[in-house]
Amino acid sequence: YKTLRQSVYSQGTEREQDVKDIDNEMGAAHYLDKPVKTMQQWRYRQEGPPYVKVGRAVKYRKADVDRWLEQNCVRPRDAA
């Protein structure tokens, strides 16, 4: 019995990278070092990184999360 990811990885298709770059809320929460509950609250408040709904499932694209992180990056002023 193989999961979808294992099947795609073992086939070595072009979609392999696409599947690696899409994750559920638990994976995204782990990546951001935030509780899943925070991810859910952000979605409810229309905050946080962009997400995709696939039926009832919530998915996050790594590129979207990385872009959101970059947009929310606070850069300190030069001390000079």
Side-chain angles (χ1 to χ4, degrees):
Y1 161 67
K2 289 184 176 183
T3 65
L4 173 62
R5 286 180 185 226
Q6 290 170 337
S7 296
V8 172
Y9 293 158
S10 65
Q11 292 173 8
T13 65
E14 293 177 14
R15 291 193 42 109
E16 180 176 335
Q17 189 62 38
D18 294 340
V19 173
K20 286 182 185 177
D21 289 343
I22 298 176
D23 213 342
N24 60 19
E25 71 179 1
M26 188 176 296
H30 179 75
Y31 184 69
L32 294 171
D33 195 26
K34 293 290 182 189
V36 171
K37 187 70 174 172
T38 298
M39 304 299 290
Q40 295 167 346
Q41 290 172 349
W42 283 347
R43 286 196 310 273
Y44 178 77
R45 294 185 209 149
Q46 297 182 351
E47 300 172 358
Y51 61 93
V52 178
K53 292 281 288 192
V54 181
R56 293 176 63 184
V58 175
K59 303 290 182 182
Y60 289 88
R61 294 182 290 209
K62 186 176 181 303
D64 289 340
V65 175
D66 288 340
R67 190 175 309 107
W68 178 80
L69 282 171
E70 186 62 32
Q71 290 170 348
N72 288 282
C73 184
V74 177
R75 305 206 192 287
R77 291 186 238 166
D78 290 337

